[in-house]
Amino acid sequence: MSVHPDLPSWNDTPTRQAIIGFVHAATDEHGPAFVPPAERVAVFDNDGTLWSEKPIPVQLDFTLSRLARLAEHDPALAAREPYRAAIERDYRWLGQALVKHYHGDESDLKVLMRAVETAFKNQGVEEFAAEVSGWLRDAVHPVLKRPYLSCGYAPMTDLLRYLEAKGFTTYIASGGDRDFMRPFAERIYGVPPERVIGSALGLDFDDQAEDTRLIYKSHTEFFDDGPQKPVRIWSRTGRRPLVACGNANGDIPMLRFARTGERTGLRLLILHDDGEREFAYTAGAEDALARAQTHGWTVVSMKDDWASVYGDR
Amino acid sequence: MSVHPDLPSWNDTPTRQAIIGFVHAATDEHGPAFVPPAERVAVFDNDGTLWSEKPIPVQLDFTLSRLARLAEHDPALAAREPYRAAIERDYRWLGQALVKHYHGDESDLKVLMRAVETAFKNQGVEEFAAEVSGWLRDAVHPVLKRPYLSCGYAPMTDLLRYLEAKGFTTYIASGGDRDFMRPFAERIYGVPPERVIGSALGLDFDDQAEDTRLIYKSHTEFFDDGPQKPVRIWSRTGRRPLVACGNANGDIPMLRFARTGERTGLRLLILHDDGEREFAYTAGAEDALARAQTHGWTVVSMKDDWASVYGDR
């Protein structure tokens, strides 16, 4: 476990060498693989790629506290999913809803998403951001027992900084909610709000008062997963990414988009194989792992490639 | 007509002084109106704000050439609007469609938009960008008889550079098509693709071949005008703008959004009163001009405040 000036939280494995080799080639002005700085776009999934997503995504834990509050004085609501699961903090029901979604069964996810969409109806964007920040100040990961604010992967922030130092522009491109990520993405990852791409609730412009506000509708504008990821990346950046990093089947289109005939990007897939320091699972990543094998994507083993997961363990 | 180190294409009028005064206050670390650099977001409408929009917006001229080609071998299509207008370059029909839209009558605009949406169905985003760049290389303004590439307002590029030098991040926030503007926004205005906000056709992710593509659908995802402008600005930047600049009624929500109780932004409204060097008109801007009077927005007179319109006249 030696410390490297570039990517210090990484072990010196073939994976680390592949990353550095790719970046050297893309930034070598006289080499055949040179890419001008303006086109060096790197996109990163968030949940399971930049921070832990088990037993449930952090956003869901945040939303649960709100759903539980909404159902507090309404026994009929409290008996229904997902309000029941929210009140009882039943991570099992919630976790399986996501696993079913990964396998193409949307039924429970729809029940969940409908409640999630309704939970913030008519809230202003700035009030929502303040609520997220306030909740995250004290929220603790239910299994790891560490603050959520310390659940970011140190090797990934190393990678963000390394790429930025090499002239890349980094973006988060997550299935998670854009406005949920924005209040903490800069603090945890050093990525400012304008470079956070994610799912979005529809917005209404409320101009009744002299001070105008943007308020959330109770329906999703788009769910930034699967084939929507390349669409949203193009909408926001106007570029095809050169580096794409994910960990699940929903990231496959984004990783594929990082390649054209003329130019092959760096495709990184985080493998959760470290039950000791984090969680060990491949559910929801089977197709992505298979494609990594057949298409030369670089698989990152948390166990072997990372000297540290959270910086302190 | 003296030349100033800041905003050299502007005359030294109260308007220029208001802009500089506002920027000084926002960047004075010890003053009460200080705004941190990250929150210094400046948004600019495009057509009629950064370049000329008469007799018709440039994008429409580009689309006309494509519509004319589509109807070339189809007499039935060629007899219908807007194909007839496209073939005959009938700017009058097209201009009135937009004026009717400004006054709330969408009928002709809908006919036009439907054809525009269909015109690029299944084209890839990168092919579209190449087509726009190719067309703009030779295209000439039909009245001004100067290349469209030289139809940007010199005082506005001065203003973009001045704000950037003062720590602002500049964005284009236009009703025009986002992907139409991206191929030239950097060249004319120095604004890169990731900072171009505009209307958008829906996109499909085509992954049939090994090389994936994004292709246009034949319907609009959103029309970035009126109340959609603040929505799109928030979606892209995650910030409320500090400076907003427009020229028409569709810019009112964007300009209003640049103010909260705690913080009043700089709202600039370009007044087209220079029939000598550009065009003189207020149609479609009546409400905005009225609001400028009652709410202290800064009206920019092209005739009085600009020493030069295009840099050479």
Side-chain angles (χ1 to χ4, degrees):
Chain A
M1 256 209 267
S2 60
V3 171
H4 307 282
D6 291 333
L7 306 175
S9 309
W10 293 66
N11 290 322
D12 194 16
T13 59
T15 303
R16 181 176 175 280
Q17 288 156 21
I19 294 169
I20 289 176
F22 179 89
V23 170
H24 277 182
T27 55
D28 173 7
E29 261 185 87
H30 306 294
F34 177 72
V35 177
E39 293 169 27
R40 293 179 203 156
V41 166
V43 292
F44 291 81
D45 171 59
N46 182 37
D47 293 311
T49 298
L50 294 179
W51 72 355
S52 295
E53 64 177 347
K54 294 290 177 188
I56 56 166
V58 183
Q59 182 191 343
L60 198 46
D61 200 10
F62 165 71
T63 309
L64 290 181
S65 62
R66 182 146 181 141
L67 293 181
R69 236 182 314 144
L70 286 173
E72 227 169 33
H73 304 294
D74 186 340
L77 206 61
R80 275 170 46 199
E81 300 295 5
Y83 300 94
R84 184 204 59 79
I87 291 163
E88 297 176 18
R89 282 288 189 275
D90 182 355
Y91 295 113
R92 231 163 10 98
W93 185 86
L94 298 157
Q96 62 80 36
L98 289 172
V99 170
K100 278 167 82 171
H101 153 66
Y102 289 140
H103 292 289
D105 175 356
E106 304 286 324
S107 56
D108 283 350
L109 191 73
K110 274 195 182 148
V111 167
L112 184 62
M113 287 310 294
R114 192 68 215 130
V116 169
E117 286 175 339
T118 315
F120 301 103
K121 187 178 178 177
N122 290 339
Q123 192 173 29
V125 291
E126 283 134 335
E127 292 76 30
F128 178 78
E131 190 172 322
V132 171
S133 295
W135 179 81
L136 264 181
R137 241 192 314 271
D138 308 310
V140 170
H141 190 288
V143 177
L144 300 169
K145 304 295 181 201
R146 52 191 299 130
Y148 274 133
L149 288 173
S150 305
C151 284
Y153 304 139
M156 296 309 285
T157 46
D158 283 0
L159 181 54
L160 289 163
R161 293 300 89 71
Y162 172 65
L163 290 171
E164 288 159 8
K166 299 294 183 181
F168 283 73
T169 305
T170 58
Y171 291 86
I172 295 174
S174 168
D177 183 80
R178 179 194 67 210
D179 288 356
F180 174 75
M181 291 182 283
R182 280 173 161 167
F184 63 82
E186 184 137 34
R187 180 161 169 188
I188 303 186
Y189 311 126
V191 177
E194 60 270 24
R195 291 199 263 119
V196 174
I197 306 172
S199 298
L201 289 171
L203 285 167
D204 273 323
F205 183 61
D206 173 10
D207 63 355
Q208 297 307 301
E210 188 53 32
D211 276 355
T212 61
R213 297 163 72 226
L214 287 174
I215 56 175
Y216 294 107
K217 296 183 187 181
S218 61
H219 70 256
T220 297
E221 187 186 354
F222 49 78
F223 184 39
D224 185 23
D225 198 36
Q228 272 293 302
K229 286 207 174 191
V231 171
R232 294 301 135 200
I233 290 165
W234 180 269
S235 300
R236 293 286 296 275
T237 71
R239 317 268 190 188
R240 195 184 276 264
L242 184 61
V243 172
C245 185
N247 76 305
N249 297 339
D251 297 316
I252 292 174
M254 173 174 86
L255 272 69
R256 289 189 62 186
F257 190 50
R259 175 193 181 276
T260 61
E262 312 94 64
R263 201 187 80 178
T264 295
L266 177 67
R267 282 80 50 90
L268 296 171
L269 193 68
I270 309 295
L271 175 65
H272 291 266
D273 59 356
D274 193 337
E276 192 92 14
R277 295 184 296 181
E278 206 238 12
F279 300 96
Y281 60 97
T282 54
E286 301 87 345
D287 299 345
L289 287 164
R291 188 172 271 270
Q293 293 306 316
T294 51
H295 287 73
W297 296 357
T298 301
V299 175
V300 177
S301 160
M302 293 179 71
K303 187 155 65 74
D304 298 333
D305 294 321
W306 288 2
S308 163
V309 173
Y310 301 112
D312 51 15
R313 65 182 274 196
Chain B
M1 258 211 264
S2 60
V3 171
H4 307 282
D6 292 333
L7 306 176
S9 311
W10 293 67
N11 291 322
D12 194 17
T13 59
T15 304
R16 181 177 175 278
Q17 289 155 21
I19 294 169
I20 289 176
F22 179 89
V23 170
H24 278 183
T27 54
D28 173 8
E29 261 185 88
H30 307 293
F34 178 73
V35 177
E39 294 169 28
R40 293 179 204 157
V41 166
V43 293
F44 292 81
D45 170 60
N46 182 37
D47 294 311
T49 299
L50 294 179
W51 73 353
S52 295
E53 64 177 346
K54 294 291 176 187
I56 56 166
V58 184
Q59 182 192 343
L60 197 48
D61 200 10
F62 165 71
T63 309
L64 290 182
S65 61
R66 184 149 180 137
L67 293 182
R69 238 184 311 146
L70 286 172
E72 227 168 33
H73 305 294
D74 187 340
L77 205 60
R80 276 170 44 200
E81 300 295 7
Y83 300 95
R84 184 204 59 79
I87 292 165
E88 298 176 16
R89 283 286 190 277
D90 181 355
Y91 294 114
R92 230 162 12 99
W93 184 86
L94 298 156
Q96 62 81 35
L98 291 171
V99 170
K100 277 167 83 171
H101 152 67
Y102 288 139
H103 292 289
D105 175 357
E106 303 286 324
S107 56
D108 283 350
L109 191 73
K110 274 193 182 148
V111 166
L112 184 62
M113 288 310 293
R114 191 71 214 129
V116 169
E117 287 175 340
T118 314
F120 301 102
K121 187 177 179 179
N122 290 338
Q123 191 173 30
V125 291
E126 283 133 335
E127 292 76 30
F128 178 79
E131 189 171 322
V132 171
S133 295
W135 178 81
L136 264 181
R137 240 192 315 272
D138 308 312
V140 170
H141 190 288
V143 177
L144 300 169
K145 304 295 181 199
R146 51 190 301 130
Y148 275 134
L149 288 172
S150 304
C151 284
Y153 303 138
M156 297 308 286
T157 46
D158 283 359
L159 181 54
L160 289 163
R161 293 301 88 73
Y162 172 65
L163 290 171
E164 289 159 8
K166 300 294 183 182
F168 283 74
T169 306
T170 57
Y171 291 86
I172 295 174
S174 168
D177 183 79
R178 178 194 67 209
D179 288 356
F180 174 76
M181 291 181 284
R182 279 172 162 168
F184 64 81
E186 185 137 32
R187 182 162 167 187
I188 302 186
Y189 311 126
V191 176
E194 61 271 23
R195 291 198 265 120
V196 173
I197 306 173
S199 299
L201 288 171
L203 285 168
D204 274 323
F205 183 62
D206 173 11
D207 64 354
Q208 297 306 301
E210 188 53 33
D211 276 354
T212 60
R213 295 164 74 226
L214 287 174
I215 56 175
Y216 294 107
K217 296 183 187 180
S218 62
H219 69 256
T220 296
E221 186 187 353
F222 49 80
F223 183 39
D224 185 24
D225 198 35
Q228 273 293 301
K229 286 207 173 191
V231 171
R232 295 301 134 200
I233 290 166
W234 180 267
S235 300
R236 294 286 296 276
T237 71
R239 318 268 190 190
R240 195 184 277 263
L242 185 61
V243 172
C245 184
N247 76 305
N249 297 338
D251 297 317
I252 292 173
M254 172 173 87
L255 271 69
R256 289 190 62 185
F257 190 49
R259 175 194 182 274
T260 61
E262 309 95 64
R263 199 187 82 179
T264 296
L266 177 66
R267 282 83 47 92
L268 295 173
L269 193 67
I270 309 295
L271 174 65
H272 291 266
D273 60 356
D274 193 337
E276 191 95 13
R277 294 184 297 181
E278 205 236 12
F279 301 95
Y281 60 98
T282 54
E286 302 86 344
D287 298 347
L289 287 164
R291 189 172 270 272
Q293 294 305 318
T294 51
H295 288 72
W297 298 357
T298 302
V299 175
V300 176
S301 159
M302 293 179 72
K303 186 156 65 77
D304 298 334
D305 294 321
W306 289 2
S308 162
V309 174
Y310 301 112
D312 52 13
R313 65 181 273 194

